[in-house]
Amino acid sequence: MKINRSDILLVAATAPIFIFFTLPIAYLISVSFKTKDDVLSGHFLPTSPTLDNWPAAFEAACLSGFIANSVAVSLLAGALTLLLTLPAAYAVLRLGIGGKWLGDLTLSSYMAPPIVALIPLFYLLKATGLLNTHAGLVMLYGFANIPVAFWLLTPFLRRMPLEIEQAAAVDGAGPFRILVHIVVPIIVPGIVATLIIVSVLAYNEFLFASAFTFSDETRTLPVGISLFQGDRLVNFGQMAAASLAGIAPVYLVALFLQRYLVAGLAHGGLK
């Protein structure tokens, strides 16, 4: 097989990117099989590989429960975000509700540091009885990711052929029926891509989850992993095993749904 100069340049250009994204995962895998002395030695590969960190990570904390909490909360929050954002984005773009500035105002609210909303949200969840509950986190993440979902869905809605909607309107279909029966089936790749992204954002969120959950029954994975850090000693081996177990669901979802994710983000969802 003949290798030309363009292939060599392509490999040279992509190799740093590949190393940048895979090296942390490779190091995490290596640490998960190291003893405490191996971790302190600083070597990349374990000198005496051990499997003890994996069962110990699940015994030291309710790791499976934390992962289940994160998966349930992130999926429900992603569904809530789409349920709220899709009709809102359609109303703003197609029906002109809110004017052209409403979209910009929606995104500007996402620019504020989340820490500024911590105390008001704490008292709001406490007053509504949603503090330390899954429902509280679902509602919080569902509303917080609306600006992201709005701007992810906007290109798909703008690329929708307006003639299709106008033809449906001539046949007597209202805006809600047009959205559900015509727009949604056409932009399915965009909806799936948006659902994946906002769900992953909710899955990885740490600040609000650490402040608003206080028991193993409600804690999510990022908060659970932080519990491996003791007062004087951090068990890096168990923490690495817990981290790998925690990112596995995200990688599996990305692997099985990458067709929708790539096609949706790249082509705007037009069939």
Side-chain angles (χ1 to χ4, degrees):
M1 184 178 67
K2 183 179 180 181
I3 301 177
N4 55 39
R5 178 180 296 181
S6 61
D7 293 333
I8 297 175
L9 291 176
L10 181 62
V11 172
T14 55
I17 301 174
F18 178 79
I19 293 173
F20 178 81
F21 285 104
T22 57
L23 189 59
I25 302 300
Y27 187 71
L28 204 60
I29 295 173
S30 174
V31 172
S32 72
F33 294 106
K34 286 183 176 181
T35 62
K36 292 180 181 179
D37 292 337
D38 256 353
V39 173
L40 294 177
S41 70
H43 297 141
F44 185 84
L45 295 175
T47 56
S48 303
T50 176
L51 294 173
D52 293 344
N53 291 322
W54 285 85
F58 282 86
E59 293 171 1
C62 185
L63 198 56
S64 57
F66 296 151
I67 295 174
N69 290 340
S70 286
V71 171
V73 167
S74 59
L75 289 179
L76 291 174
L80 177 62
T81 300
L82 279 179
L83 189 65
L84 296 172
T85 308
L86 186 57
Y90 183 78
V92 171
L93 294 176
R94 285 294 197 248
L95 306 180
I97 296 176
K100 63 180 181 178
W101 301 109
L102 185 58
D104 297 335
L105 289 175
T106 303
L107 187 60
S108 64
S109 64
Y110 197 74
M111 297 295 106
I115 191 70
V116 301
L118 198 64
I119 294 177
L121 287 174
F122 180 88
Y123 285 104
L124 178 63
L125 292 176
K126 184 179 180 181
T128 55
L130 294 174
L131 196 63
N132 196 30
T133 65
H134 290 157
L137 287 181
V138 169
M139 292 188 64
L140 181 60
Y141 295 154
F143 283 100
N145 288 326
I146 284 178
V148 178
F150 182 92
W151 284 97
L152 288 173
L153 289 172
T154 296
F156 300 102
L157 292 172
R158 281 184 174 158
R159 292 174 188 176
M160 271 285 302
L162 192 57
E163 293 79 10
I164 298 178
E165 300 174 51
Q166 291 173 340
V170 171
D171 291 337
F176 182 77
R177 187 176 177 185
I178 294 174
L179 174 64
V180 174
H181 294 283
I182 297 176
V183 175
V184 169
I186 293 178
I187 65 169
V188 163
I191 293 175
V192 174
T194 303
L195 176 63
I196 294 172
I197 291 172
V198 296
S199 296
V200 170
L201 288 176
Y203 189 88
N204 294 331
E205 202 281 331
F206 174 75
L207 177 63
F208 291 146
S210 64
F212 302 149
T213 56
F214 318 116
S215 64
D216 288 349
E217 288 74 20
T218 55
R219 285 189 176 113
T220 56
L221 182 69
V223 182
I225 292 177
S226 70
L227 299 179
F228 284 90
Q229 182 173 351
D231 294 333
R232 295 183 178 179
L233 181 64
V234 180
N235 197 325
F236 289 105
Q238 293 182 17
M239 185 178 286
S243 300
L244 288 170
I247 64 177
V250 177
Y251 275 66
L252 289 175
V253 169
L255 178 64
F256 286 108
L257 297 180
Q258 63 176 333
R259 179 168 62 91
Y260 289 98
L261 186 60
V262 174
L265 294 178
H267 303 296
L270 284 181
K271 290 183 176 179

